[in-house]
Amino acid sequence: MTLSSLLRITPRLAPAAARRSTRALSVSSGAPPTRTSLDSILIANRGEIALRVGQTAAEHGIRVTTLYTDPDSRSQHALSSPFAFNLGSVSAYLDGDRIIEIAKKEGCQGIHPGYGFLSENSAFARKCTEAGLVFIGPPWKAIEDMGDKSRSKEIMIAAGVPCVPGYHGQNQDPHFLEDEADKITYPVLIKAIKGGGGKGMRIATTKAEFQAQLESAKSEALNSFGDDHVLVEKYITTPRHIEVQVFADKYGNSVALGERDCSIQRRHQKILEESPAPHLPDATRKDIWAKARSAALAVGYEGAGTVEFIFDNDTGKFYFMEMNTRLQVEHPVTEMVTGQDLVHWQIMVSEGAPLPLTQEEVEEKIARNGHAIEARIYAENPDQGFIPDSGRLLHVRTPKTSDDIRIDAGFVEGDDVSAHYDPMISKLIVRGETREEAILKLGAALEQYEVAGPVTNIEFIKKLCRSPDFIAGAVETGYIEKHREELFSSKAIDDELFAQVALACLHRDMHAASGASHTLIGSEIGFAPSYQQRQFSFTESTGPADDGPIFTVRVQQIADKFYRIEVGERVFESVESQIDSDTNVVTSFFPHTRLDTTVVQDEDTIIAFQQGIQYRLKVPRAKWMEKALGMKDIANSVLAPMPCKVLRVEVQAGDEVEKDQPLVVIESMKMETVIRSPHRGIIARVVHQKGDQCKSGTPLVEFAEEE
């Protein structure tokens, strides 16, 4: 993938109107708002959204200034503009005063906040306005009102928008909140009033666990948003997450650009989003659009926003949940089904132009543009509780883009996915004439998507796309947990895959040998003439500590490009094979089939792609090598599942703990995770204390050996 491909927006997103809209204003009285022509903007964000905004701005002749921090100095968004400035430390994307100072110094007329960071910070929006800069987003007062979940629900109730029963007041006494939860009846949802992205959100299913869940929600909220105030409301057991994309201008116009179903989630964060929402009755669809428009008008909204609803599958009723006062991560889904460039709409509205389409015109476009689905490609390990991962992208191969297949990415091959920020690598968006066709296109595109380096969720999303209930549209926010057995099942690795990986190791060893003593990848130590048999050992890679069965492969070259291969008891005779060193593809002709396998090595981890499936293998180290390298036995240790910071230590040496008892609370990429005891035992040593930074696989707590 190249930088130019990252910056290419699908041709379906042709602007709906010229940048300087000449459409008649829809108000007939009062002085019209001041029209501003934006010629230079600063993008106060990073990654794919910075590239996405920059592309639309460039298409309309607007100069772009970008920002980056020390870890992002070689990132694609930092390199995308000749006007780029280093903010310094990791958290400096939150330094609003410095960002405004740079914007004014560079002669920028406006600031686009993207999503996350300062995008929903009302104080920052207000400072931009006071500094004479156009904040390409809603008025600061709308952000303030909608950012406070208690205040937003008061406004919605007054506007006739249905809300979930609950307590949204200021009393934060833990016992008072527990009494309110008792009145609501369990299960209840505890939610940070300043929250978003699933942070500061916990479910209490019984009174007995309420206080522990409350403490955890408050702690995460304070770390993420600087505010630990929460609300408590009824938790709907079979909910769907349906949100409506709204737009409003300075003239009192508001439109709903369709809805998105975002029910497929983990940790209350979205993985798949689609539009239109499946099996939503037309009357309900129109009603939820109308309620979303009412919500926008009630708060005096301008620009792009998303009104989020919780839909009860059991009753067919929907309730206001919150309003995101920014452009959403999943906005490309709406762009696909409306044919509109929503970033262009943002810029036009902020300049003072009216909305380019009426509600009727929007609905006409939605009716003929089919179905779209977005999959978020994350550096994370679904098999380890979706914990984030980080590291260098050693190999990236993407699906071919078209009018119906779009990729919004912030990284290219060779880039580093930082442990300091959100682990999303890219977004894959597809469109089909029907939902069934869109799912098929998504599955086919995912089979072409190869990422080696950090662990990703691509294989997990493939399973989702093949899940019968998902295909049938029977979705809800608890889908993943309810389909756990199906979605987390593992498939045995074919012998041919082990053969291909061994051939790749052999090819590279022979190429690198140069006649000198050389260590064979995954094989016995030492170099042997090419026609002698070599033995390779592999194990499946499942996490920081891999102790699964070892698979042995023996390879003997019998002629130029021909090999005899033994995988366990199975023998492949006269396999013709060669490797393309530029693409890492091993092409082999077995007696029964031809296989093309991409094989990438990352130290002792091997990532292979074959017939649309990714495999991760480990090269097991010999015990004598571990001792030579000074490696310690970690069999009795609880390891850090990802690069992290220790927030709290819940135990001390000598404590006797039960299975699933909290040991350590860690934070990575702004996500708080409780590390629990894998079994009953006695703590021998707490290796890391509060505030320590740890690498993935680092021991956190050691257990005493059983006598």
Side-chain angles (χ1 to χ4, degrees):
M1 184 190 292
T2 63
L3 179 58
S4 61
S5 68
L6 286 176
L7 297 176
R8 183 172 61 252
I9 302 299
T10 174
R12 293 188 62 82
L13 304 183
R19 181 167 165 251
R20 310 300 177 208
S21 174
T22 58
R23 179 177 177 164
L25 304 184
S26 60
V27 292
S28 57
S29 62
T34 303
R35 296 290 295 272
T36 302
S37 177
L38 295 178
D39 298 314
S40 176
I41 66 172
L42 180 144
I43 303 174
N45 217 294
R46 67 183 295 275
E48 64 87 16
I49 189 58
L51 290 164
R52 166 73 186 88
V53 173
Q55 172 61 14
T56 289
E59 287 178 353
H60 296 281
I62 301 174
R63 194 188 84 174
V64 168
T65 297
T66 58
L67 304 171
Y68 60 93
T69 58
D70 291 336
D72 273 347
S73 61
R74 299 296 186 272
S75 63
Q76 298 307 310
H77 80 271
L79 301 173
S80 66
S81 169
F83 307 96
F85 293 87
N86 188 1
L87 293 170
S89 66
V90 167
S91 61
Y93 289 117
L94 297 173
D95 190 344
D97 292 337
R98 176 88 187 283
I99 290 170
I100 290 172
E101 178 187 336
I102 292 172
K104 294 188 70 175
K105 182 180 178 181
E106 286 303 298
C108 297
Q109 297 155 304
I111 291 180
H112 195 301
Y115 51 70
F117 293 132
L118 296 170
S119 63
E120 294 182 281
N121 186 308
S122 60
F124 176 69
R126 186 175 188 174
K127 286 181 179 181
C128 287
T129 303
E130 292 172 347
L133 297 166
V134 175
F135 181 77
I136 305 176
W140 68 266
K141 189 66 171 69
I143 298 176
E144 183 176 78
D145 287 342
M146 290 295 98
D148 185 320
K149 290 180 172 52
S150 297
R151 172 65 179 148
S152 68
K153 284 181 169 56
E154 293 173 3
I155 295 172
M156 292 304 105
I157 291 171
V161 180
C163 294
V164 178
Y167 175 75
H168 311 123
Q170 293 299 310
N171 191 334
Q172 295 292 298
D173 178 76
H175 297 293
F176 175 82
L177 292 176
E178 184 175 333
D179 289 341
E180 291 298 309
D182 293 343
K183 295 175 187 176
I184 298 167
T185 71
Y186 295 92
V188 297
L189 181 66
I190 305 165
K191 193 173 187 179
I193 65 169
K194 300 285 187 182
K199 297 181 177 67
M201 186 186 297
R202 296 293 186 273
I203 299 167
T205 58
T206 65
K207 180 181 178 69
E209 66 183 40
F210 180 84
Q211 290 298 333
Q213 296 290 55
L214 176 65
E215 181 184 0
S216 181
K218 281 179 164 288
S219 174
E220 190 170 76
L222 188 63
N223 286 327
S224 298
F225 314 111
D227 189 329
D228 70 349
H229 278 57
V230 298
L231 56 82
V232 182
E233 58 189 22
K234 181 65 178 176
Y235 179 70
I236 297 172
T237 56
T238 58
R240 287 169 67 182
H241 183 145
I242 297 177
E243 60 188 30
V244 180
Q245 177 71 65
V246 294
F247 248 93
D249 61 21
K250 300 177 186 296
Y251 307 96
N253 301 311
S254 175
V255 296
L257 289 92
E259 82 287 348
R260 300 182 291 252
D261 192 304
C262 307
S263 300
I264 304 298
Q265 305 178 359
R266 85 283 185 268
R267 297 196 313 268
H268 306 293
Q269 293 180 315
K270 305 161 190 174
I271 301 176
L272 292 179
E273 302 101 353
E274 58 181 306
S275 182
H279 307 314
L280 195 65
D282 287 341
T284 304
R285 196 183 309 275
K286 293 297 179 66
D287 191 21
I288 205 169
W289 291 0
K291 292 297 192 296
R293 294 174 68 191
S294 297
L297 293 172
V299 74
Y301 205 76
E302 295 171 16
T306 300
V307 185
E308 302 196 357
F309 296 92
I310 188 166
F311 180 88
D312 191 337
N313 267 347
D314 293 335
T315 65
K317 295 180 179 180
F318 61 86
Y319 306 94
F320 172 82
M321 189 162 53
E322 63 183 356
M323 184 174 186
N324 288 313
T325 52
R326 54 173 166 80
L327 196 67
Q328 291 278 90
V329 177
E330 58 273 20
H331 76 272
V333 172
T334 298
E335 292 183 325
M336 281 291 211
V337 296
T338 61
Q340 305 303 300
D341 183 336
L342 298 191
V343 174
H344 184 216
W345 277 43
Q346 284 188 295
I347 293 172
M348 287 193 295
V349 168
S350 69
E351 290 178 326
L355 295 177
L357 295 176
T358 64
Q359 184 64 45
E360 292 73 21
E361 290 169 333
V362 168
E363 292 180 21
E364 287 176 6
K365 291 182 178 296
I366 291 173
R368 61 174 182 261
N369 272 342
H371 197 98
I373 306 177
E374 174 181 292
R376 300 191 190 186
I377 309 300
Y378 280 105
E380 65 180 16
N381 192 334
D383 293 327
Q384 298 290 319
F386 295 97
I387 59 173
D389 202 3
S390 58
R392 180 153 298 178
L393 296 171
L394 303 175
H395 166 84
V396 177
R397 182 176 298 159
T398 60
K400 184 178 180 181
T401 57
S402 67
D403 286 358
D404 290 340
I405 298 178
R406 167 178 167 180
I407 298 172
D408 286 10
F411 299 92
V412 298
E413 184 173 298
D415 285 351
D416 287 312
V417 179
S418 172
H420 300 296
Y421 304 113
D422 187 89
M424 188 172 70
I425 295 172
S426 67
K427 302 179 301 192
L428 171 63
I429 312 100
V430 303
R431 193 204 72 88
E433 293 301 319
T434 64
R435 184 174 186 269
E436 292 73 18
E437 182 180 297
I439 292 173
L440 288 173
K441 286 185 176 180
L442 178 61
L446 286 166
E447 289 187 355
Q448 301 171 41
Y449 213 132
E450 299 178 357
V451 177
V455 180
T456 74
N457 65 341
I458 293 176
E459 292 304 307
F460 181 78
I461 299 174
K462 291 176 188 175
K463 292 181 181 178
L464 275 170
C465 291
R466 295 190 295 266
S467 177
D469 281 347
F470 174 73
I471 293 171
V475 295
E476 59 171 291
T477 56
Y479 190 93
I480 290 175
E481 189 59 37
K482 289 186 177 181
H483 293 75
R484 174 165 289 276
E485 185 175 349
E486 170 194 353
L487 296 176
F488 291 91
S489 61
S490 58
K491 178 180 178 294
I493 300 177
D494 293 337
D495 293 336
E496 289 85 350
L497 186 279
F498 286 115
Q500 288 286 80
V501 172
L503 284 167
C505 295
L506 179 66
H507 284 309
R508 289 171 187 163
D509 286 337
M510 292 172 64
H511 179 74
S514 301
S517 180
H518 185 73
T519 301
L520 301 179
I521 304 171
S523 73
E524 302 297 332
I525 299 299
F527 177 76
S530 61
Y531 279 50
Q532 289 189 7
Q533 186 183 86
R534 301 187 192 176
Q535 179 171 302
F536 300 85
S537 296
F538 310 106
T539 185
E540 286 191 70
S541 177
T542 56
D546 301 293
D547 54 2
I550 294 176
F551 299 88
T552 300
V553 184
R554 297 176 180 84
V555 182
Q556 182 176 16
Q557 186 172 1
I558 57 177
D560 186 30
K561 297 183 181 179
F562 284 86
Y563 303 86
R564 182 181 186 275
I565 308 167
E566 297 178 22
V567 183
E569 301 299 320
R570 192 173 179 188
V571 178
F572 300 104
E573 301 282 3
S574 298
V575 177
E576 182 181 359
S577 178
Q578 62 183 17
I579 187 170
D580 186 327
S581 57
D582 293 329
T583 63
N584 299 313
V585 174
V586 179
T587 298
S588 298
F589 292 85
F590 289 80
H592 59 293
T593 188
R594 188 205 83 246
L595 288 175
D596 299 308
T597 308
T598 303
V599 182
V600 181
Q601 185 189 9
D602 181 12
E603 297 182 350
D604 60 349
T605 298
I606 295 174
I607 306 99
F609 303 89
Q610 183 171 284
Q611 296 181 328
I613 302 175
Q614 182 194 96
Y615 303 87
R616 294 181 70 91
L617 306 177
K618 281 274 192 181
V619 177
R621 287 192 176 101
K623 290 295 183 183
W624 68 264
M625 184 183 291
E626 292 183 0
K627 292 180 180 179
L629 294 173
M631 297 179 67
K632 186 177 180 180
D633 184 7
I634 56 175
N636 291 315
S637 301
V638 174
L639 310 179
M642 56 189 140
C644 63
K645 177 182 178 180
V646 177
L647 292 182
R648 298 190 300 277
V649 178
E650 305 287 0
V651 294
Q652 57 186 352
D655 285 355
E656 183 174 348
V657 298
E658 300 295 327
K659 185 178 185 298
D660 294 327
Q661 182 174 329
L663 301 177
V664 179
V665 180
I666 62 172
E667 180 189 51
S668 180
M669 300 178 181
K670 295 297 181 182
M671 183 187 76
E672 184 175 308
T673 302
V674 179
I675 305 299
R676 300 180 182 275
S677 176
H679 51 72
R680 184 177 182 181
I682 297 175
I683 304 299
R685 185 166 75 101
V686 175
V687 183
H688 286 282
Q689 302 296 331
K690 179 180 178 180
D692 287 357
Q693 297 283 347
C694 305
K695 295 181 179 180
S696 177
T698 301
L700 298 173
V701 172
E702 292 180 3
F703 280 87
E705 293 187 12
E706 296 183 1
E707 297 181 356

